[in-house]
Amino acid sequence: MTTQDIKNAKEHIASLQDNREVYLNGKQVEDPTTHPAFAQAISTAASLYDFQAHPDNADLMTFKSPTSGRRVNRAWQMPTSYEELVQRRRALVTWAEQHGGFMGRSPDHLASAITGQIMGLEVFEAYDPARAKAYWDYYVYARDNDIFLTYVIINPQTDRSKAVGEQDDDTPMVKIVDEDAEGVTVRGAKMLGTSSIMANEIFVAHLQPLQPSEEDYAISFAVPMDISGLKVVSRKSYEQHAVSEFDNPMAARYDENDAIMFFDDVKVPWDRIFVHRSPDMCRAQFHETPGHIFQNYQAQIRLSVKLKFLVGLARHVAETIGTITIPSVVDTLGRMAAQACSVETMLHGMEAKGHQRGEYFVPDRHALYSAQTLTQELYPEMINTIRELAGGAVIMLPSSAEDFADPGLAKIIKQTQVSADGKSDVERVKLLKLVWDVIGSEFGGRHTQYEMFYAGAQFVVRGHSFRSYDWDGSKGLVGTILDRYDLSSSLSKGQRSAAE
Ligand SMILES: Cc1cc2nc3c(=O)[nH]c(=O)nc-3n(C[C@H](O)[C@H](O)[C@H](O)COP(=O)(O)OP(=O)(O)OC[C@H]3O[C@@H](n4cnc5c(N)ncnc54)[C@H](O)[C@@H]3O)c2cc1C
């Protein structure tokens, strides 16, 4: 097999050197690929492409596009059987293992979302054949070029007591402000463009429910990140504020970034518009196609790797501080291990309970929403458990790696950073600084927020679970018992006549 044509890191980084408008700290960033706020995270994301292009990994990670013949990431693959779904999952797990699950919007997330929607292309065809054709052509373009897409599908938070259409006239939500034969002009903002600084294109849609009258907001499209008028307003960069890689190992390399995406009169051509003025189709593109399933199935695959990483971190902590032999600590680690394994096993359940939807094999919807409901609570719980296990060890640390360069301080560090498992002082500090960057630093705090909210607030995710559960089966079990008795069977003959 020739692998030379598979997208690699060099190709991806070159593709980002365009005219995108990224803003940080009051200034426009000239080239995110070399900027100290973004360069390392971009390099981490790009290294995923080198990984897939490596001859040893090419078969695991890629498949041949049926249109171009080019090998592209398996996230673009539409599984036609249980076996293909599992094969596709193995590629996604392997990519997540390269970053411990900390790149939430790695390229396989959107590739999964779009591929899932395209598996339900008949929903678009029934809505509008022209929009369906535009979407299919876009999918083929995105797949054959193995592009890195991200998305914004949520409105900026603003005032949640008002519906989209009830906001003030100068509403900040993306909406249609003009249209002509060439396309549609949109204005306004969306949150929260994770990974947008390192993506090639942005997909825009409206996941939150819209009223029938809110047609101006009901649009879905995809545009290149350097389209004229698109402003990327970045949050604080944790990468830029990392003291060093030794001090902030996660922030230094894995800060995928989040940004407000502001569309300042962006003109979107018709061949990039997939939903136009249809509130109902905004919902259907996620929920009547397998789109929402595939995007969140990818997220759970990634998260299962991250939870396994957290359990490993917890065990390291217990061994280093010498609590691993305490029965209650063993109990805690056993519980964490069981929780991580449950999530991993739920992935297998989604696949085993999957079903054939026309040509394609799709994971089980309710098994997926069950995993999401559980993991939204589990992630912060596990972070809290690691805090509990670590005590002050994650704070009792040198201010920075530079303390080791001072002989007097180095001596104090050697005397105080003592481990139960034979780690040197440097090894102990290295581990505990990693732990803090995962559980307590600004980077760590953002990750807890991410895992609690990336798929919607709890009431949203639990609503999906409510709507997709087998209530007939569940209530039927109760009915089976209820049907076996009635009031009269518990009364004597005399009581029965009195009760009648
Ligand atoms: C780190 C991070 C990265 C993100 N990246 C992206 C991205 O790349 N693309 C994207 O599209 N979005 C992204 N998001 C946005 C994410 O999808 C939203 O945060 C999520 O959908 C929740 O919306 P919200 O933040 O407006 O919270 P809200 O919906 O306003 O909810 C906040 C809280 O208010 C309460 N609440 C609000 N409404 C109700 C109600 N009706 N019933 C009960 N309680 C209620 C609940 O306590 C809830 O937890 C990201 C978010 C985070 C934190």
Side-chain angles (χ1 to χ4, degrees):
M1 174 184 25
T2 166
T3 56
Q4 64 189 20
D5 197 30
I6 297 176
K7 182 173 177 181
N8 60 19
K10 198 168 155 212
E11 179 182 340
H12 183 61
I13 290 184
S15 74
L16 302 180
Q17 285 156 345
D18 52 20
N19 295 319
R20 66 189 59 207
E21 260 187 83
V22 177
Y23 293 89
L24 179 81
N25 302 332
K27 294 192 190 76
Q28 188 172 343
V29 171
E30 214 161 277
D31 176 5
T33 68
T34 55
H35 194 282
F38 312 114
Q40 289 306 320
I42 290 175
S43 155
T44 300
S47 71
L48 295 175
Y49 291 114
D50 267 352
F51 184 86
Q52 73 173 17
H54 192 283
D56 292 350
N57 305 327
D59 193 40
L60 169 69
M61 297 305 304
T62 65
F63 77 113
K64 211 183 233 188
S65 159
T67 37
S68 69
R70 186 183 194 192
R71 290 195 76 88
V72 295
N73 191 270
R74 283 198 187 274
W76 298 106
Q77 193 171 356
M78 299 188 221
T80 58
S81 64
Y82 167 80
E83 288 73 23
E84 281 186 11
L85 183 69
V86 171
Q87 182 186 39
R88 185 180 176 280
R89 185 241 301 154
R90 290 202 181 107
L92 272 50
V93 167
T94 308
W95 246 10
E97 286 172 350
Q98 307 313 305
H99 49 80
F102 281 83
M103 303 292 276
R105 292 284 144 83
S106 51
D108 45 330
H109 184 69
L110 252 288
S112 296
I114 288 192
T115 302
Q117 292 192 13
I118 290 291
M119 282 186 243
L121 194 64
E122 78 285 353
V123 176
F124 285 85
E125 278 160 353
Y127 152 65
D128 181 342
R131 298 300 107 235
K133 180 178 181 322
Y135 203 5
W136 170 256
D137 290 347
Y138 181 71
Y139 166 72
V140 171
Y141 158 78
R143 176 184 67 192
D144 290 356
N145 291 286
D146 212 351
I147 66 169
F148 187 159
L149 265 157
T150 191
Y151 60 18
V152 277
I153 53 179
I154 300 290
N155 286 326
Q157 198 181 44
T158 64
D159 180 352
R160 279 279 186 255
S161 70
K162 292 179 183 154
V164 172
E166 290 166 7
Q167 307 278 340
D168 296 337
D169 274 355
D170 59 346
T171 167
M173 323 309 188
V174 163
K175 70 173 173 189
I176 299 169
V177 291
D178 194 16
E179 53 187 81
D180 59 23
E182 271 86 56
V184 173
T185 303
V186 293
R187 184 184 305 154
K190 285 270 182 185
M191 72 190 274
L192 230 173
T194 299
S195 284
S196 54
I197 49 120
M198 60 178 81
N200 301 115
E201 301 229 349
I202 183 112
F203 179 85
V204 182
H206 209 291
L207 183 60
Q208 293 151 316
L210 281 169
Q211 301 300 319
S213 60
E214 293 168 341
E215 285 185 352
D216 286 352
Y217 302 89
I219 185 163
S220 170
F221 59 87
V223 287
M225 281 301 303
D226 70 345
I227 194 166
S228 173
L230 175 57
K231 296 180 164 57
V232 180
V233 186
S234 171
R235 63 150 161 79
K236 173 181 173 181
S237 160
Y238 312 137
E239 176 176 327
Q240 191 169 32
H241 290 270
V243 177
S244 71
E245 185 161 11
F246 186 84
D247 289 290
N248 294 103
M250 298 308 293
R253 262 189 214 240
Y254 306 94
D255 181 16
E256 61 188 339
N257 194 264
D258 311 286
I260 286 280
M261 309 297 292
F262 193 80
F263 295 80
D264 202 0
D265 285 2
V266 171
K267 179 90 180 255
V268 186
W270 284 109
D271 63 358
R272 291 303 196 94
I273 295 173
F274 317 130
V275 177
H276 176 240
R277 293 188 180 281
S278 171
D280 190 49
M281 192 57 203
C282 281
R283 177 197 56 78
Q285 83 176 120
F286 290 98
H287 296 298
E288 285 180 22
T289 70
H292 203 243
I293 296 179
F294 270 87
Q295 74 190 49
N296 289 304
Y297 167 61
Q298 183 281 338
Q300 290 301 307
I301 290 170
R302 172 197 59 77
L303 187 55
S304 71
V305 171
K306 198 172 180 183
L307 296 180
K308 198 167 181 178
F309 177 93
L310 291 189
V311 176
L313 211 55
R315 169 120 199 195
H316 266 295
V317 168
E319 287 177 353
T320 300
I321 68 174
T323 53
I324 186 70
T325 52
I326 299 173
S328 61
V329 171
V330 171
D331 183 88
T332 300
L333 289 174
R335 187 160 188 267
M336 285 182 86
Q339 288 168 325
C341 182
S342 308
V343 176
E344 198 178 324
T345 309
M346 286 175 95
L347 294 175
H348 299 251
M350 289 168 215
E351 292 156 357
K353 282 184 80 183
H355 66 281
Q356 207 70 36
R357 184 189 186 280
E359 221 183 309
Y360 307 114
F361 193 82
V362 177
D364 182 71
R365 186 183 291 272
H366 188 262
L368 165 68
Y369 292 143
S370 309
Q372 273 195 300
T373 302
L374 293 181
T375 50
Q376 251 183 347
E377 292 174 53
L378 186 55
Y379 190 85
E381 184 190 320
M382 276 202 179
I383 294 294
N384 214 32
T385 306
I386 300 175
R387 282 175 173 264
E388 184 71 35
L389 289 170
V394 284
I395 305 298
M396 193 194 84
L397 290 170
S399 57
S400 81
E402 289 181 18
D403 284 2
F404 284 97
D406 178 279
L409 291 175
K411 201 170 158 206
I412 295 173
I413 295 170
K414 205 172 191 60
Q415 279 173 356
T416 50
Q417 297 293 338
V418 178
S419 300
D421 59 353
K423 280 190 177 65
S424 69
D425 55 332
V426 174
E427 287 165 343
R428 179 182 164 112
V429 173
K430 182 179 178 190
L431 171 76
L432 293 171
K433 281 194 178 261
L434 169 65
V435 173
W436 187 243
D437 219 15
V438 171
I439 66 170
S441 70
E442 202 164 2
F443 175 93
R446 179 265 177 198
H447 272 267
T448 302
Q449 206 69 5
Y450 182 82
E451 301 302 352
M452 290 171 72
F453 282 99
Y454 76 82
Q458 283 190 352
F459 74 91
V460 174
V461 176
R462 289 173 189 182
H464 293 320
S465 168
F466 179 83
R467 283 184 293 277
S468 57
Y469 188 53
D470 173 20
W471 291 112
D472 288 345
S474 163
K475 286 173 69 186
L477 291 172
V478 180
T480 303
I481 302 294
L482 285 174
D483 289 348
R484 289 191 181 136
Y485 61 90
D486 57 19
L487 178 63
S488 62
S489 59
S490 297
L491 298 177
S492 66
K493 209 171 167 190
Q495 287 171 321
R496 270 205 297 274
S497 5
E500 281 159 13

